[in-house]
Each structure stands twice: as C-alpha cells, then as structure tokens.
Amino acid sequence: MLAFGWWGKSRTKNNSDFLVAGRRLGPFLYTGTMAAVVLGGASTVGGVGLGYKFGISGMWLVVAIGIGVLLLSLLFAPTLQKLKIYTVSQMLSLRYGAEATKMSGIVMLAYTIMISATSTGAYATIFVVLFGWDRWLAIAVGGAIVLVYSTIGGMWSITLADQVQFVIKTVGIFLLMLPFAWNAAGGIDGIRERVDASFFQWDGIGVQTIITYFVVYTLGLLIGQDIWQRVFTARTPEIARWGGATAGIYCVLYGIAGALIGMAAHVALPAIDVANLGKDVVYAEVATNLLPMGIGGIVMAAAVAAMMSTASGSLIAAATVARKDVVPFVASWFGKTIDNSDSSNPEHDVKGNRLYVLGLGILVVLISIVVSDVVFALTIAYDILVGGLLVAIIGGLIWKRGTALGAAWSMAVGCVVTLASLILYATGTIPSADGIYANEPIYFGLVPSLVVYIVVSLMTAETPAAIRKLWDDRLAAAATDSNPDEEAALSK
C-alpha cells in the first residue's frame, strides 16, 4: 500500500489530481475503486457473519449497498460527472445558488469522519487478533499506513491502492474462501441436510430488517460524499454510468458470496459462540480453521483491504469537504473570506490538500483510539445525512421546480426532526429495543423534509435564470472544472 501510495504521488500535479484523480479514470480503475470504497468491513466480515446466523438472507445488507451503487450510477452519475465539482455541497450551491445549502457540508464532514473512524477501528481489531497488539497500537500502526499513502498522493494513491485491495478481496472471497468453505461443508447437499429450511429463504432475516437495509444503505449511498467523489474521478459520463453499474453488480455478487460462506461455516464450524463473541468472529474462524495457513493469511488480508479502502476513501472525502465547504462557510460567519484554490500555484494547492488530509487523518486515529464505539456517532451522522439531506439533494437532480428556499427549509426541518427523534429514542422517551440505533428517526425526518421541500418550492419564485443557465451549461459539457468564483458570485 505504501509503495502504491508513492507511485500515486508522481501522478499528482494539481488540485484536481489530488482530490479526484484528474477526472481521468478509465473503466477498469473506476470500477475497482468504486467497488473498493463501498465494500468495507460491514460488507466483508459482517456479511459472512450474517450468512452464518441467517443463511442466504444474510446477503441483503451488501445487496442493498450494491443496489445503491447501481441506482446512483444509472440515474445520477453521468449528471454528476458533467458538473465538474468536488463536493455534494458544491452541487447544491450550483443548483440552487444559495449559501444556506452549505450547511450540508457540516453534516457531510461528520459522516465521512465517522465512516473513516469506524473502518480504522475495524481493521485494527484484526491486527489485535493476528499479532496480539494492544488496541491503541494496532490503530496507530494501521492508521499510519492509510494516512501516509492517502496524504502523499491523494486520490491517485488511493485509487491505485484500491486496485490492489480490490484484487485481494476478489481473490480472497470468490476464489479462496468460498470454495474452501463450501467444500468443508459438503456442498449444497451437505448444507441442506444440516440446517433449517429457513436458511434458504430470502426473507429469513426478516422483511423489516431488509427494508431497513435499503433505507439506510441504498439511500445513504445515493448522497454520500465518499461515493460521489469517486464518481467525479470518471473520465466520461459513460464510464461513470457503466463502470459504476458494473461495480454495483459486483457488490451484489459479493453479498451473495459472503452469505454462502457464512452458511457453509454454520455447517463446518457449528460451535462458534456467536451469541457471546458476536457474528463478526465467523470470518476469522473460517480463515483460521477451514483454510490452509498461507491461504488463510490472504483471506485475512482481504478483510483488512476492505476496511482500509473504505477508511482512505472516507478520509479524503472528509478533507475535501472540510477544505472546500466547511472552513470557508464557518469563516463567513465571522466576516472572513477564504479562497482555498490557488490555480496559479498548483504545488501550493496540493500542499494545502495534504495538510487537510494529514490533520483529519490524525483526528480519525485519535477518535478510533479514544472512542471504542464510534458506531454510536456514525448512526447519528448517517440518520441526519439521509433524514435531513436526501430530499434536497435528489430533488435538485430530478425536479426543476425545486428552489433554494425549499431546499434550505427541507434540510433544516429534516435535520431537526431527525435529531429530535434520535434524542427521544436515546433517552427512552419513545420506547424501543434499539434505542439510539432505531431507524425510525430516518423516516420521521424524511417525511416532513419532503413535504416542506415541495410546499416551499411551489410557494416561492423559480430558480433565477442565471443559475439555471450555469447548471445547464455544465450539463452540456461547457465546464472544464469547478469555478469557485463563479459559484460564489451566483450564491450572493
């Protein structure tokens, strides 16, 4: 990973190279990096654990992720690629021409930091098992590796590292783990003879759980900065559409493979104490007990690769949002203007990006060390992301009548209602076995957000012609890259 990071450094000459790989990824690199960033620890280790516990229906978590990638790629990716922007907030400002929409950057920053911290803690757990290190040391060493290759070369280094990680995951899951586990269980006949019939039912995990996966992961993938930033790296709209669609299909197959591995492990290793140790231990047990030593090592590396690719992708997404959206927006509260783009000095611009990645990377490592359960914060960020921002973002892409005030009020109402619902569930005011991890707050946020967006948009004047023209010109491929000055002038 470090070697590929250094290689990527040689290809990084300016801001566009560092943040979006120069917007010139071809089909192979684009498909690999898109699949790598969405398939993290939950998809790899978690997917096998779900298959062990619920059978074939354990695939739905990863399938929901794959469907999200498919929908994003087929419906929105070509449009996003044409806009030549860097962040979700820039899309909102370009579409609506309003400063108020930049509040979305703060939510997106919290979301990307927590995604990166969660992945960092996950692969460190594997280091603890393999080497017997203390948790803080495992996080520090693993985090340092990701931080170094992400900082020195930005998206080019991450993309090249993602290709290695993509190959390792593909070989580890499809060519090694699946056939070895399947063989140990005696094939489909051996599995069918020793498990309940529910293991082969598509809804064995529960219809409500399946719906939850699609609401949280499919909708979240449609608007996540870490995913959009990969879309921005595509060389053409066609690559963004079909390369992404291929990655989505790969994710679906990945989910099915994980569930099948889990089913086989349920038969071959029936004594795993999932109740006390958790379902995530199944992956390591399969690698240790069902595979030869060298092959088991590759499979464990596949899990680490999955988590590292998600951590690095989220880290550069966080740095991009912080530099492009959050810092200038917060500075404006105090009457200050910050121009983070120095087109006259590309090396200085790249240096600035590196400092943001380095600073946020250190923050992510510290959060992972200090907070043992970052899933709590991730849940809050994910709920607010979907419940608060989804309607304004997707509405801007599909409904021409949507206005700036409609988007701003939609985000405000959605975020407030979602956050209030989270507090009520966390404190037990609304009884729920899931507490803060309940998914109802997303629904509570989405409904009023949608109603407010439609009503306010219809009650206010249409988006000014100058703003619509800039939007249409970019979609007509008139733009070569984002123009912050032009956007700033319109937003005023």
Side-chain angles (χ1 to χ4, degrees), residues 37 120 171 205 212 247 265 279 300 307 312 330 364 409 432 441 481:
V37 73
T120 299
V171 172
I205 199 171
T212 295
K279 61 180 175 19
M300 291 297 283
M307 298 164 191
S312 60
V330 173
V364 164
W409 277 103
S432 172
D481 211 333

Side-chain angles (χ1 to χ4, degrees), residues 53 60 70 80 113 131 187 194 215 257 263 319 346 382 393 432 488:
K53 189 174 182 180
W60 284 114
L70 269 171
L80 298 178
I113 287 176
F131 308 126
R194 297 162 65 182
V215 170
M263 292 174 66
Y382 226 122
I393 294 171
S432 172

Side-chain angles (χ1 to χ4, degrees), residues 95-464:
R95 167 62 179 82
Y96 297 112
E99 288 287 318
T101 58
K102 290 186 177 180
M103 182 64 72
S104 62
I106 296 176
V107 176
M108 203 65 71
L109 178 61
Y111 160 76
T112 50
I113 287 176
M114 289 307 141
I115 285 280
S116 190
T118 302
S119 299
T120 299
Y123 63 69
T125 301
I126 293 183
F127 291 162
V128 170
V129 174
L130 289 178
F131 308 126
W133 293 346
D134 290 336
R135 180 175 175 274
W136 73 267
L137 179 60
I139 290 175
V141 172
I145 294 171
V146 171
L147 186 55
V148 168
Y149 77 71
S150 299
T151 300
I152 61 176
M155 186 60 83
W156 266 120
S157 292
I158 291 172
T159 297
L160 296 172
D162 277 352
Q163 298 313 303
V164 182
Q165 292 159 347
F166 175 71
V167 170
I168 293 173
K169 283 191 286 190
T170 301
V171 172
I173 295 295
F174 290 100
L175 303 183
L176 298 178
M177 203 172 191
L178 180 58
F180 273 97
W182 204 250
N183 181 66
I188 189 169
D189 292 332
I191 295 174
R192 194 179 295 277
E193 291 172 1
R194 297 162 65 182
V195 299
D196 296 334
S198 63
F199 255 55
F200 289 90
Q201 294 176 354
W202 69 270
D203 60 347
I205 199 171
V207 174
Q208 182 58 45
T209 299
I210 296 172
I211 293 174
T212 295
Y213 287 154
F214 277 90
V215 170
V216 174
Y217 295 105
T218 303
L219 296 183
L221 276 166
L222 290 179
I223 60 174
Q225 170 68 27
D226 50 334
I227 313 303
W228 276 35
Q229 198 154 340
R230 299 310 171 100
V231 174
F232 301 150
T233 65
R235 187 168 62 232
T236 66
E238 289 73 24
I239 290 173
R241 172 183 282 125
W242 300 114
T246 303
I249 294 171
Y250 176 90
C251 292
V252 172
L253 296 176
Y254 196 89
I256 295 172
L260 292 175
I261 292 167
M263 292 174 66
H266 188 92
V267 171
L269 301 171
I272 299 177
D273 188 6
V274 175
N276 293 319
L277 299 177
K279 61 180 175 19
D280 289 348
V281 303
V282 175
Y283 187 98
E285 291 290 337
V286 172
T288 304
N289 298 307
L290 297 186
L291 281 70
M293 186 171 293
I295 300 222
I298 295 175
V299 167
M300 291 297 283
V304 175
M307 298 164 191
M308 280 188 167
S309 58
T310 299
S312 60
S314 302
L315 176 57
I316 195 169
T320 305
V321 170
R323 191 178 193 208
K324 293 287 185 180
D325 300 329
V326 176
V327 171
F329 181 54
V330 173
S332 69
W333 300 350
F334 304 96
K336 297 181 179 180
T337 301
I338 296 179
D339 183 6
N340 281 316
S341 179
D342 188 0
S343 57
S344 63
N345 190 343
E347 291 184 4
H348 182 269
D349 213 17
V350 170
K351 182 180 179 181
N353 288 323
R354 285 196 179 111
L355 291 175
Y356 271 85
V357 173
L358 179 62
L360 285 171
I362 293 173
L363 176 62
V364 164
V365 170
L366 291 176
I367 290 174
S368 302
I369 292 174
V370 174
V371 183
S372 58
D373 185 14
V374 294
V375 176
F376 176 86
L378 176 62
T379 299
I380 296 175
Y382 226 122
D383 285 4
I384 295 176
L385 176 72
V386 177
L389 306 187
L390 178 76
V391 171
I393 294 171
I394 300 301
L397 292 171
I398 66 176
W399 192 37
K400 290 185 177 181
R401 188 62 181 81
T403 66
L405 277 177
W409 277 103
S410 171
M411 289 192 292
V413 170
C415 289
V416 169
V417 173
T418 302
L419 186 58
S421 302
L422 282 167
I423 293 172
L424 293 176
Y425 274 91
T427 58
T429 304
I430 299 180
S432 172
D434 297 323
I436 190 69
Y437 300 106
N439 293 301
E440 285 80 3
I442 296 179
Y443 304 124
F444 292 154
L446 275 174
V447 174
S449 178
L450 177 60
V451 172
V452 168
Y453 180 70
I454 294 174
V455 172
V456 175
S457 292
L458 292 176
M459 292 176 63
T460 53
E462 294 186 20
T463 303

Side-chain angles (χ1 to χ4, degrees), residues 22-56:
R23 306 188 193 276
R24 56 181 188 268
L25 295 192
F28 177 74
L29 285 177
Y30 180 81
T31 299
T33 195
M34 179 62 81
V37 73
V38 298
L39 294 175
S43 305
T44 305
V45 177
V48 170
L50 287 172
Y52 186 93
K53 189 174 182 180
F54 298 105
I56 191 63

